[in-house]
Each structure stands twice: as structure tokens, then as C-alpha cells.
Amino acid sequence: MQYILNYFCTSSAALLSEQWFARALPSRATVVMAHDNAAADSSQQVWKKALWKRRSNNLHKLPDNHTSSRFLEDLVLNANAVPRDVVTVMCDAQVVVHQLSLTGLFAATHAHLRSNLVSGRTILFISTLLLVAATTACFLLDPAYANAFTVRRALFALQQAFLVTAGCFFIAPVLSTLTRNISSDTVHAWSVALLVAHLYLHDYFFVVSATNKLTGGLSLGAAVLASALLASRLDSPHVDAFAQVVLSMEVFVLSPYVRRALKRGLSRIAHTGVTVALVLLCAAAIAPLSASLAGASVGVCAFVGVLCPLWLVRVQKFKTEIQGPWDEAQLLLEGCT
């Protein structure tokens, strides 16, 4: 009887202890499953490309060229691509058409002066009318000019205009002998090169808002130097050289301000009408010299103002810009001001 009681107590204690350990400790399958889940979690940790970052033990063992399974999920196509509209691009291209037409008109005026088809006094009269019309247009179309108008600023502007005009008048005799010892072909070649450089370096964004780009100053300097070289080849009296220099100041220095006021104050249709009128005026000025050059000027303006915008919008759909983890790392300095 005592032996049966001892066996029963021993069996009960063993059974209770086994049940307690079963509840307290996981089984082998549970341990294996937990180990697999931990390995999966560690493999799915987010990997980021960084110059330096504190990493865990598992990520610290990754090589520098490691790519996770989610590497291509961060691929972005055309993130910075701006959709372009044909009408908007054509309106923006009119700035280039204006500059081309004004440069061609200036070159045609020099040819007319050199061929005695027009006198210097006529150019001065036309330049005065254009200056008055441009000033009136700026005050009527752009409220910024009207709001900033004061008597003191008006007197200062008149003083500056008088000084510039007087400087051009007194420098005109010097320009007549500036390139006396240089052949006309060389002077004309240099003038064409300077005008091309002016068109290439011109700050076309100035029509939208004021900018301080270095290329704008270089472009203006190239245009003024070309005007001085061309004025030195005029065989007529000094008034012709003076008229050409004054016209160049209005075309290359003052016209960007007038065109900015026109762009701000006129509608798209009216601004397009001004562009067409300017192109036709340039062609009409070139036509007495050469009909083929007049047609070429219209063709160049049409190519820049119509065909190039259409071409740009068409090739925009073929643009593919990809961005992803392979891009250059950016410095993110935390806690730095």
C-alpha cells in the first residue's frame, strides 16, 4: 500500500512538472517558427543609401553595393518633367522673335544709311517718335511705372536721357575715324559676329522679370560695339553716325523694358499681333535691299516662333527621366543649424 502511494505521488509530481514546463517554455516547433519570423523581419528592414548612418547588427554586415528586394519600388519616372502647352510655348517664343526682328531692323537701317536711301535726320525723327510712343505705352500698360512715377524720378530720367544723347552726339566724330585703317570686310565680319553673340547671350528672361545675369551685360556690350563698328563705316556726315548710335540705344537698351510692359499689359492675341507687325516691319525694311533676305527673315521668325514650339511639344512625350536609390546621396545633417 505504501509503495502504491509513493508511486502515485511520484507520477503526479512528474505530470505536474511536465505540464508546467510545457506552459512555461515553447515547443521546438514554436522556437523554430519564432527564429524564422525574426530572420524575416531582419531581412525586410528598410535599407537606405547614406554616407553614414547608425545601423543594427544585421544591416551593418551588408556590403556597400547591397540592393534590397524593394530596390526598384522607389523608381520614379519624369518627376521633374513639366507638361508643356503649344500656345504657351509659342507665346514664350515670341521674345526670341522680337529680338531677331529688332536686330534685323537695326542692320537694315545701317544698310539704308550707307546706301543713302534714308537720311540721318529721318532716323532721328523716327527715333524720337518711337521713344515718346514707348514711354506712353509703358505708363499705360504697366501699372508699376505709373505707381512709381514722381516728379523727381521724371527729372532724373530726363537728365540721364540728355547725358546719353549728348555723349552719343560728341562721340560721333570719333566714330567716323575709328576703323579708317581696317577694311570694310573685316569690320562687317566682326559686326555680324558681335550681333550673333548678342542674340546668343541675350537675357530673354528679362521680359518676364528683372534679372542680373552676366550674359545680359555681355550681350548688350556686344550689340553696342557692333553699332560703333558699323557707324564708323558710314561715309556720310556725322549726323548719320549719331542717328545710328541713338537708334541702337533704343533697340538694344530701352526696348526690353517696353516689351516687358507689352507682355504684362496686353492679351495673348494683342501681343501676337505686335509680334507679327514687328516681323513684317523687319521684312519691309530688308525688302528694298534684297527680296530673298526679306523672305529668309520671315522664314527664320516663323521657324523660331511656330515650328520650334511645335517640335518641342512633340518631343516632350519621348522624354524619360528616371530617379531612384541610385542617385547621388544627399547630405542630411541632423541637429545642425
Side-chain angles (χ1 to χ4, degrees), residues 173-239:
V174 180
L175 294 177
S176 301
T177 59
L178 182 63
T179 59
R180 178 178 298 176
N181 298 327
I182 304 176
S183 63
S184 298
D185 295 338
T186 303
V187 173
H188 290 157
W190 274 105
S191 300
V192 171
L194 289 172
L195 290 178
V196 171
H198 162 71
L199 293 174
Y200 179 75
L201 299 174
H202 183 69
D203 186 9
Y204 295 98
F205 192 73
F206 181 82
V207 178
V208 181
S209 63
T211 58
N212 296 320
K213 292 184 178 180
L214 177 61
T215 56
L218 295 176
S219 173
L220 180 60
V224 173
L225 181 57
S227 174
L229 291 177
L230 292 175
S232 66
R233 307 310 299 177
L234 295 175
D235 300 330
S236 51
H238 303 324
V239 65

Side-chain angles (χ1 to χ4, degrees), residues 98-107 109 123 127 130-131 134 195 198-199 202 220 223-224 227 243-259 278:
H98 289 174
Q99 201 64 28
L100 288 172
S101 301
L102 290 174
T103 304
L105 184 62
F106 170 76
T109 304
I123 298 298
S127 299
L130 290 177
L131 181 61
L195 290 178
H198 162 71
L199 293 174
H202 183 69
L220 180 60
V224 173
S227 174
Q244 179 167 333
V245 173
V246 170
L247 180 63
S248 67
M249 290 296 174
E250 292 186 359
V251 170
F252 300 118
V253 179
L254 300 179
S255 67
Y257 295 93
V258 181
R259 286 182 284 138
L278 191 58

Side-chain angles (χ1 to χ4, degrees), residues 8-237:
F8 178 77
C9 292
T10 303
S11 300
S12 300
L15 180 60
L16 290 176
S17 62
E18 183 178 357
Q19 293 177 355
W20 183 86
F21 278 109
R23 290 194 303 266
L25 297 177
S27 62
R28 175 178 177 81
T30 305
V31 172
V32 173
M33 183 178 296
H35 181 270
D36 295 340
N37 292 335
D41 294 338
S42 62
S43 64
Q44 294 180 358
Q45 294 186 22
V46 178
W47 174 85
K48 296 182 180 180
K49 182 175 67 173
L51 297 178
W52 180 89
K53 187 176 181 181
R54 190 181 302 277
R55 300 178 177 180
S56 62
N57 295 330
N58 294 330
L59 291 178
H60 184 70
K61 299 178 182 179
L62 297 177
D64 294 337
N65 60 348
H66 171 75
T67 55
S68 62
S69 59
R70 302 176 57 187
F71 183 72
L72 294 179
E73 293 183 2
D74 297 330
L75 174 65
V76 180
L77 294 177
N78 299 330
N80 300 323
V82 179
R84 302 182 185 274
D85 180 54
V86 177
V87 178
T88 303
V89 177
M90 285 185 178
C91 292
D92 294 338
Q94 292 179 12
V95 180
V96 185
V97 176
H98 289 174
Q99 201 64 28
L100 288 172
S101 301
L102 290 174
T103 304
L105 184 62
F106 170 76
T109 304
H110 168 74
H112 287 303
L113 286 173
R114 188 175 175 82
S115 303
N116 295 324
L117 296 177
V118 66
S119 63
R121 291 180 174 85
T122 304
I123 298 298
L124 286 175
F125 179 73
I126 295 175
S127 299
T128 304
L129 293 180
L130 290 177
L131 181 61
V132 174
T135 305
T136 305
C138 289
F139 279 98
L140 293 179
L141 297 177
D142 196 350
Y145 289 96
N147 296 333
F149 176 79
T150 59
V151 178
R152 184 176 180 179
R153 290 184 177 180
L155 294 176
F156 179 77
L158 291 175
Q159 179 184 0
Q160 295 297 318
F162 174 76
L163 292 176
V164 172
T165 305
C168 294
F169 179 78
F170 288 112
I171 204 176
V174 180
L175 294 177
S176 301
T177 59
L178 182 63
T179 59
R180 178 178 298 176
N181 298 327
I182 304 176
S183 63
S184 298
D185 295 338
T186 303
V187 173
H188 290 157
W190 274 105
S191 300
V192 171
L194 289 172
L195 290 178
V196 171
H198 162 71
L199 293 174
Y200 179 75
L201 299 174
H202 183 69
D203 186 9
Y204 295 98
F205 192 73
F206 181 82
V207 178
V208 181
S209 63
T211 58
N212 296 320
K213 292 184 178 180
L214 177 61
T215 56
L218 295 176
S219 173
L220 180 60
V224 173
L225 181 57
S227 174
L229 291 177
L230 292 175
S232 66
R233 307 310 299 177
L234 295 175
D235 300 330
S236 51

